[in-house]
Amino acid sequence: MAEHHSMPGVASSSPAVILAHLAAHTRRIRLGSGGVMLPNHAPLVVAEQFGTLEALAPGRVDLGLGRAPGTDGATAAALRRTDRLNEGADDFPEQLAELTRFLDDDFPDGHPYARIHAVPGPVQGPEGRPPIWLLGSSGFSARLAGVLGLPFAFAHHFSARNTIPALDLYRDSFRPSAVLDAPYALIGVSALAADEAARAHRQVLSGALAMLRLRTGRPGLVPTPEEAEAYPSAPPSGSSWTTGSRTSCTAPRTRSARAWTTCASGRAPTN
């Protein structure tokens, strides 16, 4: 579950709450945040929330972390109660270190937080804790994840051109840690499946128009397929359907390369 704020078409302003709902209605599937935007929160609060999730769904919850605001500047200022937004992003390594110590309950003696415990957590017993992933769409988190020996997830769905450079940087920067012996990465993709290719294509157009509006400063509810189909093929002001992201879609029993390419390129299938 991602974290976005003040976006009418995205219902993920509180990843921990939605993950608790999903945990209550599943038994085996792995769940996680993709991600919690750490500068928006106190590290102790995140440790408490995900310690609670780990207690509710032991061994099934991953804690993915990012450093972007997940919204526009004005909303980020309201979240962080400051207009000095760069400070939060620049302090991300320190915030991450603090969060990790709260999760592990291992602040050194003499530290101001040595007597503070994230509950649920290790202070109650030797239980597991959610694994940390670093998320990113550039080289900053890739390098940091590598140096710290953490798993890394790259936002390929909206930064495709940077995928290979970021993954190479992660692998080149990697240092073995107590968490990983070797690099471990994934990429985020936008995918949609439907019973028929034509239906999948119609749904993809809705997402494409929603992203176009978001990127041009006009966020709103997700448009219907009918709205998307009626949208001009040559939008005004030099806009286009190309938003820097690709969506793959296909239908059951027709998972051919042609089906994936057709939907990803935004062309309607011919048969």
Side-chain angles (χ1 to χ4, degrees), residues 192 194-204 225 269:
L192 188 147
D195 293 335
E196 299 176 353
R199 182 178 178 186
H201 173 75
R202 293 185 77 230
Q203 297 295 334
V204 166

Side-chain angles (χ1 to χ4, degrees), residues 18-194:
I18 300 177
L19 286 170
H21 174 78
L22 295 175
H25 290 81
T26 57
R27 293 185 178 180
R28 296 183 301 275
I29 190 172
R30 194 163 193 89
L31 307 169
S33 59
V36 168
M37 300 296 105
L38 186 55
N40 292 346
H41 310 276
L44 175 58
V45 172
V46 177
E48 291 173 335
Q49 290 175 344
F50 277 79
T52 301
L53 288 169
E54 174 66 24
L56 293 172
R60 289 206 290 135
V61 178
D62 295 318
L63 172 53
L65 299 168
R67 67 188 186 106
T71 187
D72 59 88
T75 307
L79 284 166
R80 302 178 186 180
R81 301 182 64 80
T82 178
D83 56 3
R84 297 189 296 273
L85 301 180
N86 287 337
E87 292 182 4
D90 293 342
D91 291 344
F92 182 76
E94 290 75 21
Q95 294 171 324
L96 173 62
E98 185 177 307
L99 170 61
T100 303
R101 288 199 175 276
F102 275 126
L103 287 171
D104 293 333
D105 199 42
D106 68 349
F107 282 101
D109 292 340
H111 192 281
Y113 299 160
R115 298 180 64 183
I116 300 174
H117 308 288
V119 179
V123 69
Q124 298 171 309
E127 301 296 332
R129 72 126 159 116
I132 290 177
W133 286 71
L134 293 194
L135 281 58
S137 58
S138 65
F140 181 93
S141 291
R143 185 187 301 276
L144 183 60
V147 169
L148 297 178
L150 294 173
F152 176 61
F154 187 79
H156 174 78
H157 56 297
F158 66 80
S159 188
R161 293 181 180 179
N162 293 323
T163 302
I164 299 301
L167 293 179
D168 286 343
L169 179 59
Y170 169 61
R171 295 186 183 104
D172 291 342
S173 305
F174 186 84
R175 300 175 186 173
S177 68
V179 177
L180 291 175
D181 294 326
Y184 190 65
L186 63 79
I187 62 172
V189 299
S190 179
L192 188 147

Side-chain angles (χ1 to χ4, degrees), residues 258 262 267-271:
R258 178 182 176 279
T262 295
R267 292 182 286 107
T270 56
N271 54 43

